[in-house]
Amino acid sequence: MINAVEIKNLSKSYNNGFKLGEISLNIPKGLIIGLIGENGAGKTTLIKSILNIIKIDTGNIKIFDKDYINYENIIKEDIGVVLDNMFFPELLTLSDIDKIMGDIFKNWDSKLYFDFLNKFNLPIKRTIKNLSKGMRKKLEIATALAHHPKLLILDEPTSGLDPITRSEVLDIFQNFVQDEEHTILFSTHITSDLEHIADYIIFIDQGKLVLNENKDTIVDNYGILKCDIDDFNKVSREDYLVYKKNKYSYDFLINNKSKIKKKYRDFVIDNISLEELMILMIKGDK
Amino acid sequence: MLGLIKKDFLLIKGNLKLVSIIFIVLIFISFEESSNFIFIPAFISIILFFSTFSYDEYNKWDAYAITFPNGKENIVKSKYLSTLLLVLFTVLITMIIWIIISIINNNLDIEYILLTSFGCFASVIFLQSIMYPLIFKFGIEKSRIVIFVGIFILIAIIGLISRNIGSIPIEVVSLFNNYWMIIVPLIIIITFSVSYYLSKKIYMKKEF
Amino acid sequence: MLYTVIYCVYGDVMKIIISNSSSIPIYEQIKNNIVSQIMNNELLEDEALPSIRNLAQDIKISIMTVKKAYDELEKEGYIISRQGKGTFVAPKNNELAKEQAQKEIEEYVFKIINLSKKFNIDQRDIFNLFDILRGEEND
């Protein structure tokens, strides 16, 4: 097994006109895969499809090489999730969660759960309702990890966290993939979280898969070529993907940095951050 | 599935104080008047249980629970079982208190107590059977109105029957009198099963 | 942004300094760090390197990036990975080191030539200087 998740021709339409897909992609095992896109681009829909929270219209999904519906319960023993605003009823306490989960997951590890709570300084007796937003996220992460999952599916796991906690949490995720059998699918609109630790980037826009690429390839090959308003025609069409007009200059998105650097010696060619890439791809013209 | 049932009981645990107070009040009232209050705890417990749906809905628990290795079906099943257990428990406690009070008051009528308790259990389970498919379909918030309308219609039907009891053919009445021990449980079992089947169907189609 | 991480390997110290603002790709920075430590004998033959995943976590970069660096280092003969045991510093390839040194010398000589041309300095003066400096070294 090389892929933790394999998705083929997935599509899902909603009554409000939003459509996801068709999407085909693989999530390779043992790595951290970042899922980026605007709010409403379809990240959560994709995640909900993988988890069979919503029924897909077409396509098929395999997780750990098994059909995700026929082997649903077996597969789900090995998946840990953090979903955006979906969790235990908030009247429950942190120790209630332990009692409940002990009966739900075969591999639930109370000790590991309480170790995480300790590490995060979360009060065991408190109800979820009385936790701050950051504490709640940390609780959700602890809960997702405490049954020794092989696949973590995280929808916006870092939103609402302060920078210190965020780096703590990212470290926990990196620690999780120390095991080569472990995989993380990590959706976020805060792309800087993924800039360093993600191995692959999946970029979704308006329900479509726009980019599915090794992050190093993006960092090494993609870039921004900048030129004056007057020099627009000096850049030939086959050399860029999209462009964006600014007040005094043009930004061209390129995916062949070293070659372009040789060809256009007089222009500025910058490295690109995931955020800039996202903005250019969404806002840029062809 | 045990975990799911546990979750609902842990959720209403916070309301146990309220339930205990009701029981205590009931005990005192029962010294004066006996049978009329027997229905209250069971009804309160099921209304209390409805609140678990509110909490679930508010925190989008269902979507989260679907990511567990228990299957959607068991989420519905756990709700039915939890309710059944809770109502059974409440009715039993009420019955025991009632029996103790009767012994103290020296007016123990065990057959009457058993029959009334069973009637109480049956009517609450009947209410549950009607309510749950609606709750699973429309959600608890919208179903609240339906609950009140439903209870109102139920009362109206009972009132209508009791007012026109004379016009019901004597054969039917005597048939019921002779065989109610079979008819009532049968009705309860059938509505409960149909209700569960419907809820399951609704829930399997539902998206979160 | 600048990350500095000191990584301990069996009591020795492996240093990896990575700059995010640099135009040099991160995998290349890792490579350069390790190569220079091998060249300076800070990392010795047969010494174990941190595992790919460990190093990735410690310097907070992706696994694939470290893997790319290790793969290239292995291809170039600086390190060896042994199945199930880990990655180790390869026996120092003197030919390779020599080649590397020669390249560096070439660069310096090129600079010397350029400078001398620029200021019209006679070649013999430079050879003299070379002899003098070498003589000092031998003392």
Side-chain angles (χ1 to χ4, degrees):
Chain A
M1 182 179 82
I2 338 161
N3 295 317
V5 183
E6 289 175 11
I7 298 171
K8 277 205 189 88
N9 308 327
L10 180 156
S11 77
K12 168 76 185 173
S13 312
Y14 283 98
N15 291 333
N16 64 12
F18 177 79
K19 183 173 187 280
L20 178 73
E22 286 193 351
I23 286 181
S24 296
L25 58 86
N26 294 333
I27 293 172
K29 189 184 70 174
L31 301 175
I32 297 179
I33 285 83
L35 177 57
I36 63 171
E38 281 181 297
N39 287 330
K43 303 191 295 281
T44 301
T45 306
L46 178 62
I47 283 176
K48 280 180 166 179
S49 304
I50 296 173
L51 291 166
N52 199 21
I53 296 172
I54 53 174
K55 282 208 165 58
I56 57 175
D57 300 338
T58 66
N60 57 64
I61 298 174
K62 273 186 176 180
I63 303 176
F64 310 134
D65 260 350
K66 293 187 177 80
D67 182 81
Y68 83 129
I69 288 179
N70 293 340
Y71 295 89
E72 188 167 2
N73 289 346
I74 297 171
I75 288 169
K76 284 181 174 176
E77 286 283 356
D78 291 326
I79 300 182
V81 301
V82 172
L83 298 174
D84 203 15
N85 286 321
M86 297 164 201
F87 197 52
F88 280 93
E90 57 188 15
L91 232 59
L92 296 173
T93 66
L94 277 56
S95 59
D96 285 343
I97 292 179
D98 173 59
K99 287 176 200 149
I100 295 164
M101 290 302 233
D103 286 324
I104 285 178
F105 285 100
K106 279 189 199 124
N107 292 329
W108 180 259
D109 186 340
S110 286
K111 192 184 165 295
L112 183 63
Y113 175 70
F114 286 116
D115 282 350
F116 273 123
L117 299 191
N118 265 331
K119 190 175 176 176
F120 288 143
N121 277 323
L122 298 174
I124 294 162
K125 293 271 170 257
R126 213 179 278 182
T127 57
I128 302 168
K129 196 180 178 172
N130 291 319
L131 296 179
S132 70
K133 206 179 168 203
M135 286 167 120
R136 208 186 123 135
K137 265 280 174 283
K138 288 196 256 184
L139 171 65
E140 292 177 15
I141 291 164
T143 311
L145 285 164
H147 62 278
H148 301 285
K150 288 191 185 120
L151 170 63
L152 274 185
I153 297 185
L154 313 165
D155 196 5
E156 303 283 356
T158 49
S159 72
L161 296 181
D162 60 81
I164 308 280
T165 315
R166 195 139 84 213
S167 86
E168 242 176 82
V169 164
L170 293 180
D171 191 54
I172 287 173
F173 295 158
Q174 282 205 294
N175 193 41
F176 178 77
V177 288
Q178 289 299 306
D179 186 328
E180 288 171 35
E181 298 296 316
H182 288 181
T183 311
I184 298 182
L185 175 65
F186 182 150
S187 107
T188 180
H189 61 272
I190 312 165
T191 51
S192 59
D193 282 343
L194 297 169
E195 208 93 59
H196 303 297
I197 67 164
D199 295 294
Y200 278 88
I201 298 293
I202 296 168
F203 175 18
I204 291 181
D205 187 35
Q206 293 176 15
K208 297 255 179 319
L209 180 69
V210 209
L211 191 73
N212 177 13
E213 189 73 86
N214 184 324
K215 191 203 64 200
D216 282 337
T217 310
I218 298 175
V219 172
D220 297 344
N221 296 344
Y222 282 67
I224 306 179
L225 181 147
K226 301 188 174 192
C227 77
D228 283 340
I229 292 280
D230 311 328
D231 290 340
F232 179 77
N233 289 327
K234 289 185 185 165
V235 183
S236 50
R237 179 62 194 89
E238 72 265 19
D239 290 332
Y240 65 87
L241 299 171
V242 291
Y243 70 90
K244 188 166 149 267
K245 188 179 187 292
N246 303 317
K247 199 165 179 193
Y248 303 108
S249 65
Y250 279 101
D251 286 347
F252 292 92
L253 178 66
I254 54 169
N255 66 353
N256 204 340
K257 208 159 50 188
S258 53
K259 200 180 127 198
I260 301 288
K261 262 183 185 163
K262 275 174 203 147
K263 185 166 171 190
Y264 299 92
R265 285 175 189 274
D266 299 335
F267 293 117
V268 176
I269 292 159
D270 268 356
N271 291 338
I272 194 165
S273 70
L274 288 178
E275 189 174 322
E276 289 167 317
L277 177 77
M278 212 166 104
I279 293 169
L280 265 176
M281 283 199 131
I282 292 169
K283 299 272 181 214
D285 299 305
K286 293 237 167 182
Chain B
M1 189 164 76
L2 189 62
L4 296 174
I5 294 174
K6 244 188 205 172
K7 176 222 127 223
D8 282 333
F9 279 100
L10 286 168
L11 254 184
I12 53 171
K13 198 181 72 183
N15 292 314
L16 272 183
K17 267 188 210 144
L18 179 76
V19 177
S20 328
I21 291 168
I22 290 164
F23 266 119
I24 291 165
V25 171
L26 183 87
I27 291 167
F28 281 105
I29 294 172
S30 306
F31 275 104
E32 304 296 324
E33 183 102 25
S34 56
S35 68
N36 288 345
F37 295 93
I38 188 74
F39 282 82
I40 294 173
F43 269 98
I44 287 182
S45 69
I46 196 165
I47 300 280
L48 197 69
F49 195 83
F50 285 164
S51 72
T52 65
F53 285 96
S54 297
Y55 299 131
D56 290 353
E57 214 167 288
Y58 186 71
N59 292 101
K60 298 187 184 155
W61 155 260
D62 290 278
Y64 188 62
I66 291 172
T67 70
F68 298 161
N70 42 235
K72 262 176 141 177
E73 232 181 284
N74 277 331
I75 296 174
V76 180
K77 204 187 271 176
S78 78
K79 283 284 183 197
Y80 273 82
L81 275 177
S82 304
T83 323
L84 207 62
L85 284 173
L86 181 69
V87 173
L88 203 65
F89 178 75
T90 321
V91 169
L92 280 177
I93 295 280
T94 318
M95 206 172 78
I96 290 165
I97 293 174
W98 196 8
I99 290 173
I100 293 169
I101 290 170
S102 301
I103 291 171
I104 295 169
N105 282 353
N106 217 358
N107 59 356
L108 180 67
D109 181 349
I110 196 82
E111 198 188 328
Y112 179 65
I113 292 176
L114 283 177
L115 280 181
T116 317
S117 296
F118 174 71
C120 171
F121 176 75
S123 50
V124 173
I125 292 302
F126 188 70
L127 178 69
Q128 177 208 352
S129 303
I130 291 173
M131 285 309 304
Y132 277 20
L134 293 171
I135 294 176
F136 281 115
K137 177 84 190 169
F138 301 110
I140 182 73
E141 296 309 327
K142 281 181 200 158
S143 302
R144 268 183 214 286
I145 310 154
V146 186
I147 295 176
F148 287 114
V149 174
I151 290 175
F152 181 77
I153 291 172
L154 213 68
I155 292 169
I157 290 172
I158 293 169
L160 211 69
I161 292 172
S162 54
R163 192 177 292 173
N164 300 313
I165 200 127
S167 60
I168 297 172
I170 193 79
E171 293 83 15
V172 176
V173 176
S174 68
L175 194 76
F176 186 79
N177 273 341
N178 290 333
Y179 295 104
W180 69 268
M181 290 273 282
I182 301 163
I183 294 170
V184 174
L186 206 67
I187 290 173
I188 295 302
I189 289 168
I190 289 171
T191 44
F192 191 82
S193 318
V194 170
S195 167
Y196 172 65
Y197 176 76
L198 277 177
S199 294
K200 206 173 80 180
K201 260 206 130 156
I202 291 164
Y203 197 78
M204 294 309 272
K205 271 195 191 152
K206 202 172 176 180
E207 296 202 327
F208 297 92
Chain C
M1 254 193 290
L2 192 82
Y3 287 125
T4 311
V5 167
I6 296 180
Y7 198 94
C8 293
V9 192
Y10 296 117
D12 282 317
V13 177
M14 171 165 143
K15 296 183 226 86
I16 291 196
I17 298 169
I18 284 165
S19 157
N20 283 317
S21 51
S22 162
S23 63
I24 303 167
I26 290 176
Y27 78 89
E28 226 170 288
Q29 294 186 42
I30 299 173
K31 262 180 70 181
N32 294 344
N33 272 285
I34 294 176
V35 168
S36 77
Q37 284 173 75
I38 292 174
M39 285 305 155
N40 298 337
N41 291 326
E42 287 171 53
L43 285 173
L44 298 173
E45 181 182 335
D46 242 7
E47 210 164 340
L49 292 175
S51 79
I52 291 175
R53 280 161 201 271
N54 261 324
L55 187 58
Q57 187 183 0
D58 286 331
I59 54 180
K60 300 195 185 312
I61 57 164
S62 72
I63 295 162
M64 298 282 275
T65 310
V66 181
K67 192 173 181 304
K68 192 169 178 187
Y70 274 33
D71 282 352
E72 292 203 357
L73 284 171
E74 189 169 8
K75 218 164 55 192
E76 289 165 23
Y78 289 105
I79 59 174
I80 306 171
S81 78
R82 295 190 193 120
Q83 200 72 45
K85 282 184 181 159
T87 312
F88 302 86
V89 177
K92 215 175 193 174
N93 186 337
N94 282 329
E95 280 303 302
L96 196 79
K98 217 173 175 179
E99 224 172 85
Q100 193 83 17
Q102 242 158 11
K103 246 188 216 166
E104 248 174 86
I105 290 170
E106 261 168 45
E107 270 172 44
Y108 288 125
V109 172
F110 195 63
K111 269 185 197 162
I112 292 169
I113 294 170
N114 272 345
L115 265 177
S116 58
K117 268 186 188 161
K118 208 168 173 184
F119 296 101
N120 257 331
I121 299 169
D122 194 20
Q123 245 188 38
R124 260 167 298 172
D125 288 342
I126 291 168
F127 285 137
N128 280 341
L129 190 66
F130 191 75
D131 284 338
I132 292 166
L133 287 176
R134 233 168 60 157
E136 272 174 10
E137 210 173 73
N138 288 341
D139 285 343

